[in-house]
Amino acid sequence: MNSMADHIVSGYDSDLNELATSLSDLGSLAESMVADAVRSLGRRDDGLARSVIERDVSANRLQAKIDGDAMRILALRNPMATDLRRTIGAIRVATDLERIGDLAEGIAKRAINLNDETRLDMADGVQRMGRQVKTQLSAALNAFLKDDTQAALQIWMADRDVDAMYNVILRGLLNEMAGHPNRINASTALLFAAKNLERIGDHTSNVCEVIYFTRHGRQLIEDDTVRPALHKPA
Amino acid sequence: MAGADATEDERRDALRESDVVIMSVFAIVAIAGLGALARVPVLAGLAALAGFWLAVLLFIKLSRAIRSSRPDRQDAQNEFLSGAQFAVTLTDALPQAIAVLDRDGRVIHANPLARELVDIETLGRPLSVYVRDAGITDRLARALAGYTPEPLMVHREVPTESYISLLFSAVTPVEDGSGRTIVLVVMNDVTELVLGNQRRADFLANASHELKTPMASMLGYIETLRGHAKDDPDAQERFLAIMAQQAERMQRLIQDLLSLRRIEQEEHIPPSETADLDLSVRAAIESVAPLAERRGVKLKYKKKKRAIVPGHQDETIQLCLNLIENATKLSPKGSIVHIVLSRFEQWQPGIPFADGRLPDTALTRTINTAPTRPLPLYTITISDEGPGFSRAHLPRIGERFYRVAGDLSSKEKGTGLGLAIVKHIARRHRAGLYVRTQDGAGTEFCIIYQESEEAPSETATPEPQSIATSETR
C-alpha cells in the first residue's frame, strides 16, 4: 500500500512490481490447482485431475523465476527495511505456494485412484473441507497482495477450523475402515486427500505469517493481541 | 489545464508582437533609404521596387498573423479534448468500470466503479494485485502486441463469490508523440449471468425436495379423511390440526427459500444504505418475545445506543431474529438468552466473543471473517444455555437444510434455512460471523459489523460513546 512509495530508481520499483505480478500469477495458479483438485474429487473427473497434475510444472517454473528475481533484487538493489522483508517474504510465499501446488497434485492423483472405487459418503466432508481451504487460501493471497495484516490474522486464526474439520474426517474414515474392510482402499485415498488439504491450510497460515512479518517486522505469534486469543484450544 | 492554455496563448501573442516590431524596423529603414536615393532616377526605381517588395512582405506577414489568430481557438479546443484531465473526467463519468494500465501492467487510473468493483486503493501497483488470474499477464502482452484478446473471466471468492469479465485493449495516444502505449481494461460484473442459472436450478431442486415429504403426508391425511375417518369428528379435528401445521411449515419453507434466494442474488453487491443494529436487535426481541414467554425463557439485552452500520435494515432485523429465535428454541425452560451489543475502536483477534459467556475451552468456528478496514466495530453476541452441539456438527453449521437439533416438536422445528439466511446476510453486509459451542453448556453466535463511514457526522455526541466503550472493556 503506502509502503510501496516510489523509489528514486524507477527500475527498482518495476522490479518489485514484477515480483508482485509473478506472485499473483503463482498464487492464482495454486488456487486454481486446489479448486480443480477438489472439484475432480467431487465430480469424479479424471480429465480435470490430470490437468491439475500437468499444471504443477508451471508452478515449479514460476517459483524458480520468483526465486531468481528476488535474488537479483537482493544482489543489485540492496533493499532495506520493508523492501527487504518484502523480498524475503516473496521467496517464502513462493515456496509455500509451490508446496501447495504439489499437495494439490497429490490430491488429484488420489482422485484418479478414487474414481475406480465406489464413492464414499465421507467424500462430501472432504469436499467441504476443500472448499474451506480454498477460500482461506484466496483470502490469504488477497491479504498478501494488499498488505492487509488484520485479514491475515483472521485467516491465520481460522486455520483451526480446518484442523477441526480434518479431525472429524479422520475419525469418520477410521470408523469406515473398521466397519467395512472392503472400503479400506478408498478410505485411505480420501484420508490422504484430507491430510493434503490440512497441509495446504498450514501453508496458507505460513503465508499469513509472512504478511504480518513484512508489515511489522516481528513474528505474528509474538503479537500481544494474539496470545490471549490463542489460549483457546484448537 | 486552464493555466497551461493561458501561457500557450501568451507565447503566441508574443511571437506576433515581435513580428510587428521587425516589420516596422524594415519599413523605417526602407523609407529612410527611399528619401536618400530619390535624387537618382535609377535608384528611385530600385527604391520603389524595394518598397513594393517590403509592402508584399508586410502583407504576407500580416495575413499570416490574422489567419493564425483564428485556428488558435480550434487548437485550444483540440487540446481541451485531448488533455489528460479531460480523459480522466470522461472515464470517471462512464457508467462502466474502467482501469487504465501502463505498459508494465500498473494501474495508472481507475474510475470509481472500477475502484469499487475490484477494491483498488492505491494507484501505481500492478493490476494482478487486485484481480488475480494466471491469464492476465498473457492477455496484457497480447493487447500490447496489437491483438484484441478475448475477454477473460475471473472467478473471485473473497469477500463473496463473484465473476468479473475483463476486456483488454491497447491504445497509443497520438498527440502525446512519445509513442507510449496504455491499456484500457473494461470490467464487467457477470456474477448474476454465471451463477443465476445454477441458483435457479438449486432453488427448484431444494423447493421440490423439501416440499415432497410434507406434501406426501398431507395427501395421506386427506386420504384418511376421505376414507375411514369420514364419520369420526374427533379424528377429523386432530388430522386437520396436523395438516394446518404442515401447511404452515411448508409456507415458512417457501418464504425462507425465497428470501435466501433474494439475498444470495444480491450478495456480491455491498449494501449502499445504513442500518441501526440497536433498532434491529430490539425489533427482533419484540417478535421473539411471545415464543420466549411460551417456553419460559428470558431474553436479556445489553444495549448500545445508535449503532449505525452499512446494511439493509430489514435484513439486519432478520439476521438478529433468526439467531435469537434459534437460541430461544434451544434454551431449556427458565434459562436466559443473553444478547450484547458492543462497540470496539478497532479489530483485534480477541474481539469475537469478547462478550461471550462460555469458557475458553469452547469449540469455535469462523463462518465469515470480519471486515478489516480501519473503522470502529460493533459486535452482537447471542448466547444461549442450551445443549450445545458436538464437534462433528461444527463445520456444517450454516449449511442449508442442515439441522443440529433433531428433537424439537414439529411445531417449532425450523426450516433448516435460518442459519443459511444469517450466513448470507452477513456475507452481503461484509460482516463477520462466528459460532462457538460447548457440549452441554450452550451455543454462542457473534456478528461483527464495521461502523458506517457516514456515522461519525450523524452522531452528535461521540464522547459518551467512547466512555461507554471503555466501560465494556
Side-chain angles (χ1 to χ4, degrees):
Chain A
M1 274 191 284
N2 295 336
S3 46
M4 275 302 277
D6 289 348
H7 293 91
I8 291 172
V9 184
S10 70
Y12 190 4
D13 277 334
S14 72
D15 280 356
L16 286 174
N17 274 329
E18 204 189 315
L19 206 56
T21 310
S22 305
L23 276 168
S24 165
D25 286 354
L26 179 56
S28 80
L29 189 64
E31 261 180 297
S32 76
M33 284 172 76
V34 174
D36 286 346
V38 172
R39 219 171 281 155
S40 71
L41 203 65
R43 283 200 219 144
R44 300 170 76 82
D45 184 343
D46 276 3
L48 195 62
R50 274 194 208 97
S51 85
V52 173
I53 297 170
E54 280 160 19
R55 266 176 272 173
D56 191 49
V57 183
S58 9
N60 293 347
R61 206 183 306 128
L62 259 174
Q63 190 234 342
K65 177 181 181 290
I66 292 168
D67 261 11
D69 287 356
M71 215 73 86
R72 210 183 56 235
I73 292 175
L74 287 177
L76 298 181
R77 312 279 184 198
N78 286 324
M80 304 290 272
T82 316
D83 292 335
L84 176 62
R85 294 199 293 272
R86 193 184 298 281
T87 315
I88 301 278
I91 298 175
R92 291 182 54 191
V93 168
T95 317
D96 279 322
L97 290 176
E98 192 270 331
R99 280 298 297 149
I100 288 174
D102 289 347
L103 292 165
E105 188 194 356
I107 296 171
K109 283 180 180 161
R110 300 290 167 195
I112 293 175
N113 289 346
L114 270 169
N115 290 351
D116 300 333
E117 312 269 345
T118 43
R119 190 185 157 86
L120 301 183
D121 288 346
M122 288 303 289
D124 290 342
V126 176
Q127 247 198 301
R128 209 169 8 254
M129 181 179 172
R131 278 197 297 270
Q132 170 86 15
V133 167
K134 160 75 195 350
T135 312
Q136 245 148 266
L137 174 62
S138 298
L141 286 169
N142 270 6
F144 175 70
L145 292 167
K146 289 182 173 179
D147 289 342
D148 189 341
T149 49
Q150 283 195 5
L153 258 175
Q154 293 197 39
I155 302 155
W156 187 80
M157 291 181 59
D159 185 51
R160 62 185 170 192
D161 297 359
V162 172
D163 294 345
M165 278 173 141
Y166 173 68
N167 286 332
V168 170
I169 289 170
L170 176 65
R171 276 176 214 190
L173 283 173
L174 287 180
N175 282 341
E176 187 96 32
M177 285 193 246
H180 310 270
N182 59 332
R183 293 186 194 157
I184 284 187
N185 271 349
S187 302
T188 321
L190 263 186
L191 191 58
F192 274 114
K195 183 70 201 163
N196 277 9
L197 285 173
E198 192 264 337
R199 295 290 304 144
I200 292 174
D202 291 346
H203 284 291
T204 306
S205 319
N206 282 357
V207 172
C208 296
E209 283 166 21
V210 170
I211 301 167
Y212 191 92
F213 181 75
T214 303
R215 184 68 175 278
H216 298 299
R218 63 181 167 176
Q219 297 299 329
L220 185 149
I221 305 171
E222 290 162 15
D223 190 303
D224 295 333
T225 60
V226 173
R227 246 185 249 142
L230 258 191
H231 284 304
K232 291 161 196 168
Chain B
M1 174 87 197
D5 262 357
T7 50
E8 196 71 5
D9 280 347
E10 267 167 30
R11 213 180 305 141
R12 285 235 177 83
D13 289 341
L15 266 176
R16 248 176 278 138
E17 274 159 27
S18 71
D19 283 352
V20 170
V21 169
I22 292 167
M23 281 183 284
S24 41
V25 168
F26 265 112
I28 291 164
V29 170
I31 291 162
L34 280 176
L37 297 169
R39 287 181 204 151
V40 187
V42 184
L43 288 183
L46 275 175
L49 268 174
F52 179 68
W53 177 71
L54 267 177
V56 170
L57 210 71
L58 213 78
F59 174 75
I60 291 170
K61 287 259 175 195
L62 268 176
S63 66
R64 202 175 285 168
I66 290 163
R67 223 185 309 143
S68 71
S69 72
R70 246 177 277 142
D72 244 15
R73 291 282 121 74
Q74 249 177 31
D75 270 5
Q77 189 133 27
N78 279 341
E79 228 160 86
F80 168 65
L81 279 174
S82 62
Q85 193 58 45
F86 179 75
V88 166
T89 322
L90 205 66
T91 36
D92 284 359
L94 277 177
Q96 164 79 54
I98 288 184
V100 184
L101 313 185
D102 67 3
R103 281 199 75 90
D104 302 322
R106 278 177 296 202
V107 181
I108 49 178
H109 179 66
N111 70 355
L113 281 172
R115 280 167 191 263
E116 202 184 305
L117 188 63
V118 295
D119 263 340
I120 297 178
E121 284 151 358
T122 13
L123 298 177
R125 304 212 58 195
L127 180 69
S128 330
V129 167
Y130 309 105
V131 197
R132 207 165 46 251
D133 193 286
I136 289 179
T137 314
D138 171 57
R139 304 291 155 108
L140 198 62
R142 282 172 59 82
L144 283 169
Y147 298 100
T148 313
E150 63 272 36
L152 177 69
M153 179 91 87
V154 182
H155 178 201
R156 310 174 91 217
E157 267 182 286
V158 181
T160 62
E161 187 166 33
S162 63
Y163 288 86
I164 296 171
S165 104
L166 300 180
L167 251 172
F168 293 83
S169 85
V171 197
T172 311
V174 183
E175 133 281 348
D176 178 318
S178 63
R180 263 188 317 192
T181 307
I182 55 169
V183 179
L184 279 182
V185 187
V186 181
M187 312 184 202
N188 275 306
D189 188 341
V190 289
T191 313
E192 189 46 37
L193 277 176
V194 179
L195 292 181
N197 279 330
Q198 183 58 45
R199 282 184 184 151
R200 264 189 289 280
D202 282 355
F203 174 76
L204 280 178
N206 283 337
S208 44
H209 181 259
E210 289 297 310
L211 290 176
K212 216 164 59 188
T213 324
M215 203 58 111
S217 92
M218 283 262 259
L219 280 174
Y221 283 118
I222 291 173
E223 213 109 294
T224 322
L225 284 175
R226 273 185 176 162
H228 43 255
K230 209 192 263 172
D231 306 313
D232 183 351
D234 279 357
Q236 275 179 6
E237 193 58 35
R238 219 175 52 236
F239 287 168
L240 281 173
I242 296 172
M243 284 168 71
Q245 241 175 47
Q246 295 267 29
E248 268 167 32
R249 206 179 97 72
M250 289 201 278
Q251 198 180 24
R252 257 184 297 151
L253 183 75
I254 291 170
Q255 268 167 8
D256 278 0
L257 271 173
L258 283 172
S259 56
L260 187 60
R261 191 170 124 75
R262 185 175 41 75
I263 296 157
E264 235 183 6
Q265 233 167 21
E266 292 176 338
E267 197 175 289
H268 60 286
I269 311 162
S272 51
E273 61 271 76
T274 56
D276 185 348
L277 287 184
D278 174 50
L279 211 76
S280 309
V281 176
R282 276 189 283 133
I285 288 175
E286 243 167 65
S287 24
V288 182
L291 173 75
E293 206 168 309
R294 229 174 21 246
R295 292 192 56 95
V297 174
K298 251 190 175 167
L299 302 176
K300 264 197 184 162
Y301 174 39
K302 195 172 154 211
K303 68 174 182 179
K304 179 118 286 182
K305 262 186 201 159
R306 289 184 72 81
I308 310 293
V309 299
H312 192 275
Q313 188 74 53
D314 291 345
E315 284 176 11
T316 52
I317 292 176
Q318 193 174 15
L319 183 144
C320 298
L321 179 69
N322 286 6
L323 287 177
I324 297 173
E325 199 178 74
N326 259 0
T328 311
K329 277 184 191 168
L330 290 169
S331 289
K333 201 175 168 130
S335 67
I336 303 169
V337 173
H338 291 271
I339 304 141
V340 187
L341 175 62
S342 302
R343 182 176 192 272
F344 294 91
E345 280 309 321
Q346 71 174 93
W347 191 83
Q348 274 185 1
I351 281 188
F353 302 112
D355 300 318
R357 314 179 72 84
L358 287 176
D360 281 349
T361 48
L363 300 164
T364 309
R365 184 184 152 213
T366 310
I367 301 177
N368 295 341
T369 49
T372 55
R373 290 174 53 211
L375 288 168
L377 299 161
Y378 287 102
T379 66
I380 306 174
T381 313
I382 296 158
S383 327
D384 68 45
E385 294 166 0
F389 47 84
S390 72
R391 183 187 291 275
H393 290 302
L394 202 57
R396 303 195 61 179
I397 294 295
E399 221 172 274
R400 58 186 66 179
F401 301 119
Y402 188 77
R403 291 187 187 86
V404 174
D407 55 346
L408 284 173
S409 67
S410 71
K411 196 175 175 191
E412 277 159 5
K413 200 167 167 181
T415 55
L417 289 173
L419 283 177
I421 292 175
V422 166
K423 183 174 85 177
H424 285 286
I425 292 177
R427 266 198 203 155
R428 168 157 143 72
H429 291 176
R430 309 294 187 255
L433 179 63
Y434 302 79
V435 57
R436 183 158 95 145
T437 186
Q438 173 96 335
D439 230 346
T443 308
E444 288 181 333
F445 281 90
C446 181
I447 308 147
I448 302 187
Y449 266 95
Q450 205 147 46
E451 190 173 70
S452 167
E453 275 172 291
E454 294 131 47
S457 60
E458 281 176 42
T459 36
T461 51
E463 267 177 56
Q465 262 196 351
S466 60
I467 292 166
T469 315
S470 59
E471 269 171 17
T472 50
R473 276 176 188 171

